[in-house]
Amino acid sequence: MDSLHSVSVARLEIHGATLRYSALVGSGLIEQLGDRVRRRLPGKTCGIISDTNVGPLFAGRVKRSLTSAGFKPTLITIPAGEKSKTLKQASAICERMIAAGLDRQSFVIGLGGGVISDISGFVAAIYYRGIPHVQIPTTLLAMVDSSIGGKTGVNTRDGKNLLGAVHQPSLVIDDVDVLKTLPCREFNQGFAEVIKHAIIADAKMFEQLQSWKASNPLGLQQLVRRNVKIKSKVVAKDERDRTGDRALLNFGHTVGHGIERAGGYQKFLHGEAVSLGIVAACAISIKRAGLPPWQRDAVVGLLQRFDLPARLPPNFPREKIFDALKFDKKFEGGKIRFVVTPRIGAAYLTRDVMLNDIREAIDEL
Ligand SMILES: NC(=O)c1ccc[n+]([C@@H]2O[C@H](COP(=O)([O-])OP(=O)(O)OC[C@H]3O[C@@H](n4cnc5c(N)ncnc54)[C@H](O)[C@@H]3O)[C@@H](O)[C@H]2O)c1
Ligand SMILES: [Zn+2]
């Protein structure tokens, strides 16, 4: 624990072979941003990248805190939503930064959800061949997932996240107060990634989630902390996604991505599609990894507790999910690399899953 202006904050030190940074989890952290950044970064000028929903809510406070600590921030606001995660938008941001006189001594702050995490990180990775990146995630999903791990990027016409770079942040500020304005559906979708973390790595958290209440703010801080720890531990083992350790974080995502794509990225939010993908991955795990069926039922019950979908609507174009899976090109001889869970709290990558197993699981959804 560390405290500045008497607010208690948990500091997580994230270490790996080529990365070292802190994630601070607490409340009232935005007001302390300037002081906290000054302790870590020598630059004076910075770009704050935000979106049209988040900027009006928090950018004023972020700017004030930075200015009173002696920084010169330039706010760049882009339209909210996935459509902004493009190379064109990244290029427009870079041009605004050049016009504002930002250089290799400057740094970038990403203030927003996962879209902003990804595009601001990408801009930080390419601007003057790489400048420091500070993440201020404002969705639960961004706090527990996209702000940790250094994967940055943008979409192309043909698919999501096809262009990008691995660029680790210098500092992550998780101020749970910002979640108060997050719409309920957006808040809940973050729990799909939280429940995924519980299934692959933390049986105790799974149990605690079964009686978790959003009304307890400390509960939320602890939850974010626990999830940042889980994700950063997995990432530290496999920073560049080469050894297969990081693949465990894809639990529920093979079918989840297929569902997102089949729904034209309109029907389901990412976390909702992942929720359905988790249910499918549990069905496959019963068949291929010996997951006890009652544990699948417990997973479904927990997802539903956070208003996440466990069944596809009857008229959903299921065939399209297969087309999307094939687009992923991960099949070799009718088999696919797939993450399964033998029991809640553990997961492994296997090559034993057949295309037909996935077909059956989707039919049952
Ligand atoms: N890099 C990674 O490792 C990684 C991991 C998971 C997801 N992602 C990416 O994250 C993105 C999805 O993230 P997301 O769901 O956070 O999307 P998002 O950034 O679009 O945020 C969701 C919506 O909530 C609004 N919003 C954000 N914070 C708010 C707040 N505090 N109050 C009110 N409104 C707020 C946003 O303006 C947006 O409309 C996808 O692009 C996905 O590819 C990346
Ligand atoms: Zn995800």
Side-chain angles (χ1 to χ4, degrees):
M1 286 281 185
D2 97 65
S3 73
L4 190 83
H5 313 315
S6 75
V7 176
S8 83
V9 174
R11 184 193 323 186
L12 303 171
E13 296 300 337
I14 299 173
H15 294 173
T18 64
L19 61 95
R20 194 181 196 94
Y21 61 91
S22 308
L24 306 178
V25 185
S27 84
L29 284 174
I30 284 188
E31 277 64 31
Q32 310 170 356
L33 178 72
D35 290 338
R36 296 209 177 259
V37 172
R38 198 173 45 196
R39 293 180 191 178
R40 289 170 174 89
L41 295 176
K44 279 274 169 267
T45 51
C46 65
I48 305 167
I49 303 175
S50 194
D51 75 25
T52 44
N53 291 334
V54 178
L57 291 168
F58 307 116
R61 278 154 60 195
V62 166
K63 258 179 118 170
R64 266 196 301 283
S65 174
L66 289 165
T67 309
S68 56
F71 292 103
K72 282 201 183 121
T74 299
L75 175 64
I76 300 169
T77 306
I78 64 173
E82 191 71 34
K83 284 207 172 70
S84 280
K85 226 177 88 176
T86 62
L87 201 54
K88 200 169 163 205
Q89 192 61 259
S91 159
I93 294 170
C94 289
E95 270 154 27
R96 295 268 315 270
M97 288 176 30
I98 291 166
L102 305 190
D103 59 19
R104 69 182 76 247
Q105 315 300 337
S106 310
F107 59 94
V108 168
I109 296 182
L111 173 69
V115 165
I116 293 294
S117 296
D118 283 5
I119 196 168
S120 65
F122 184 61
V123 164
I126 60 174
Y127 198 74
Y128 279 85
R129 298 195 188 84
I131 60 173
H133 183 214
V134 175
Q135 297 258 26
I136 310 181
T138 63
T139 63
L140 181 61
L141 184 137
M143 285 185 188
V144 300
D145 197 350
S146 60
S147 61
I148 304 294
K151 280 195 182 174
T152 75
V154 293
N155 307 326
T156 73
R157 202 189 44 208
D158 295 315
K160 278 190 57 168
N161 305 322
L162 294 183
L163 305 176
V166 175
H167 186 66
Q168 301 290 347
S170 301
L171 176 66
V172 180
I173 305 271
D174 290 326
D175 184 341
V176 295
D177 294 346
V178 302
L179 298 177
K180 286 179 193 149
T181 53
L182 192 63
C184 197
R185 191 174 165 202
E186 298 288 351
F187 184 69
N188 284 338
Q189 70 148 334
F191 277 93
E193 305 289 1
V194 167
I195 292 169
K196 174 196 79 180
H197 284 156
I199 297 171
I200 65 170
D202 194 339
K204 189 155 177 240
M205 181 166 78
F206 189 94
E207 207 183 302
Q208 288 168 337
L209 284 166
Q210 290 174 310
S211 56
W212 193 81
K213 286 203 176 57
S215 52
N216 180 350
L218 205 63
L220 192 53
Q221 283 184 36
Q222 276 163 357
L223 189 84
V224 171
R225 211 161 77 199
R226 192 97 155 239
N227 281 277
V228 168
K229 260 192 193 158
I230 293 172
K231 177 151 185 193
S232 52
K233 208 166 146 192
V234 175
V235 170
K237 277 196 209 154
D238 183 14
E239 287 168 30
R240 302 193 76 86
D241 209 356
R242 299 273 156 79
T243 65
D245 288 296
R246 198 164 173 158
L248 300 186
L249 295 167
N250 284 338
F251 182 74
H253 279 62
T254 302
V255 174
H257 283 149
I259 291 172
E260 258 186 305
R261 202 175 162 83
Y265 298 100
Q266 304 282 329
K267 180 89 188 133
F268 295 109
L269 298 177
H270 174 72
E272 293 167 346
V274 167
S275 171
L276 290 157
I278 288 175
V279 177
C282 284
I284 292 164
S285 299
I286 290 174
K287 195 166 164 192
R288 296 283 170 195
L291 178 74
W294 68 266
Q295 293 207 350
R296 182 256 335 258
D297 298 344
V299 169
V300 168
L302 190 55
L303 292 167
Q304 286 172 335
R305 195 180 146 82
F306 294 97
D307 281 335
L308 288 164
R311 310 227 45 177
L312 276 172
N315 58 352
F316 192 84
R318 282 155 209 261
E319 269 314 307
K320 275 199 185 165
I321 304 175
F322 288 102
D323 298 344
L325 283 179
K326 281 181 207 126
F327 180 83
D328 264 357
K329 295 187 201 80
K330 283 179 198 143
F331 292 97
E332 287 162 27
K335 290 189 173 180
I336 188 171
R337 275 158 51 98
F338 198 90
V339 184
V340 287
T341 173
R343 62 178 184 284
I344 289 167
Y348 61 90
L349 187 63
T350 175
R351 288 175 192 274
D352 290 341
V353 170
M354 309 292 294
L355 182 56
N356 211 35
D357 298 331
I358 298 181
R359 186 180 292 276
E360 270 177 35
I362 292 172
D363 284 345
E364 280 168 26
L365 267 182

